[in-house]
Amino acid sequence: MSPTFEHSTAEWQALDAAHFLHPFTDFKALAAKGTRVITKADNIYLWDSEGHKLFDAMSGLWCVNVGYGQQALIDAATAQLKTLPFYNSFFQTTTMPAIALAHKLSQLSPPGFEHVFFSGSGSEGNDTIVRLVRRYWDLLGQPQRHTIISRFNAYHGSTMAGASLGGMTDMHAQGGLPIPGIVHIDQPYYVQHGRPGESKDDFGKRAASWLEAKILEVGPDKVAAFIGEPVQGAGGVIIPPDTYWPEIQRICDQYGILLVSDEVICGFGRTGHWFGCERFGYKPDLITFAKGVTSGYIPLGGVLVGERVAKVLIEQGGEFAHGYTYSGHPVACAVALANLQLIEEQGLVQRVHDDTGPYLAAQFAALAAHPLVGEAETCGLMGAIRLVRRKAQGDQPAEAFAADQSVGMVCRGHCFGNGLIMRAVGDRMIIAPPLVMTRAQVDELMALIRHCLDLTLADLQERGWY
Ligand code: PXG
């Protein structure tokens, strides 16, 4: 059977189950259940093959920052596809969109970032980070500085280096990861690691001190870099206390190790700043980006290379033996330029900072009164709600549900069934809606969330779990 667009949903599902291995999926379980076929999108809404409209509170997969259907991006891709759909940048050639985007990124990035290395995705960007960091120390005559410190429950991608940098132990368990020279410290998640009576600020400093302890354990002369997401996205929107990152910066400076900010999710306005490191007040040496750079219309990623590394790499490096077929893909770069121009023209970063971000934060604060909600917090236009069995009372911390009850998935089911796409990470329900979202759409989102929380509560009560 060769597919035509006249197939029924059931036929599409059957073909999907027969041939398509989905990422991070139990193939057999999904085949039994059937996938949802998404057919079109506009602004912040999606439609499936059955005609259901869905509020996309996850921006696709944290990436559609300007929302769907933006003509400027479509026009940029079309024009570039017609004039020059592809040419590489390996053998002393280049293309105009790649040059223009490199220049534009140097203007938008924090001071001291003049260079970019392009990749096709965030994972490839983080592979580039590992190569760059190790090359840097080799060139400085310190090849023993090989170890990169990351954090448990971090997500840095799915390639061998990306998954190794990431701190997802279930990923490590499949395929002998992490690769050598990558170690992890605990995440700055107060719910998991905070002590009774400890202030968030004190916790932030204590969590940062785990980096210093790890540096001393590995040996300060053997550590190459620390990598972290400003806010952990896939880990469940873990927003660190404001004291965390400045202390991480101080420790990196003290031991001379490189600081890497993985901004694949936090970059390009998500936190109400162009980059998350600006929100949290630190100055990285390298920045990984992807997703929002093109609003996901077409794949593109890369690394912004700060002057400390760029100078050594350029002046002393000779040939850097690294690159991808699609490094600086002209169509992707043309779309990125149109996307960044749109973000600027519409003042989306400022809007998140001044208007929709604080508005969403206030709505989330009110949500904390819901019986199922332990904490509800946001950073710019990303947010998380922790579902709990009993709310905190006085000195008593909130009581979590049993992990095997998978209440996040129960809640996610009610969301999907009622026109709302939220992601569940354990018991954390998370959102990262498009930056074009209006206040009226924040209200619409909050009404949907409340409705789905009520349905989840009733469901859990019926099961005798609440
Ligand atoms: N770094 C970070 C911080 C990410 O969030 C990557 C790197 C890898 O990017 P690519 O383009 O190679 O996927 C990511 C990707 C989820 C989810 O379920 C999150 C990501 C990817 C897929 C699923 O939240 N983030």
Side-chain angles (χ1 to χ4, degrees), residues 61-62 121-124 126 155-157 229 234 262 264-265 290-291 423:
L61 204 47
W62 316 86
S121 68
S123 299
E124 289 175 1
N126 280 328
Y155 190 80
H156 296 298
E229 305 153 74
D262 182 341
V264 167
I265 283 178
K291 295 193 190 270
R423 207 158 117 32

Side-chain angles (χ1 to χ4, degrees), residues 401 410 414 454-466:
F401 285 98
V410 174
H414 288 293
D454 290 344
L455 292 173
T456 305
L457 179 60
D459 185 341
L460 297 178
Q461 281 168 335
E462 208 164 292
R463 296 172 195 230
W465 292 357
Y466 187 92

Side-chain angles (χ1 to χ4, degrees), residues 413-464:
H414 288 293
C415 294
F416 247 100
N418 287 277
L420 171 62
I421 297 187
M422 271 180 107
R423 207 158 117 32
V425 180
D427 293 351
R428 291 175 78 77
M429 300 304 301
I430 62 182
I431 58 162
L435 310 187
V436 291
M437 183 166 72
T438 62
R439 275 187 179 226
Q441 287 171 325
V442 175
D443 293 342
E444 186 187 339
L445 172 63
M446 295 313 298
L448 279 167
I449 291 176
R450 281 181 185 281
H451 179 55
C452 295
L453 285 174
D454 290 344
L455 292 173
T456 305
L457 179 60
D459 185 341
L460 297 178
Q461 281 168 335
E462 208 164 292
R463 296 172 195 230

Side-chain angles (χ1 to χ4, degrees), residues 326-347:
Y326 300 127
S327 289
H329 192 293
V331 181
C333 291
V335 171
L337 280 165
N339 174 62
L340 297 174
Q341 194 179 336
L342 195 69
I343 293 175
E344 280 187 309
E345 279 169 8
Q346 297 198 356

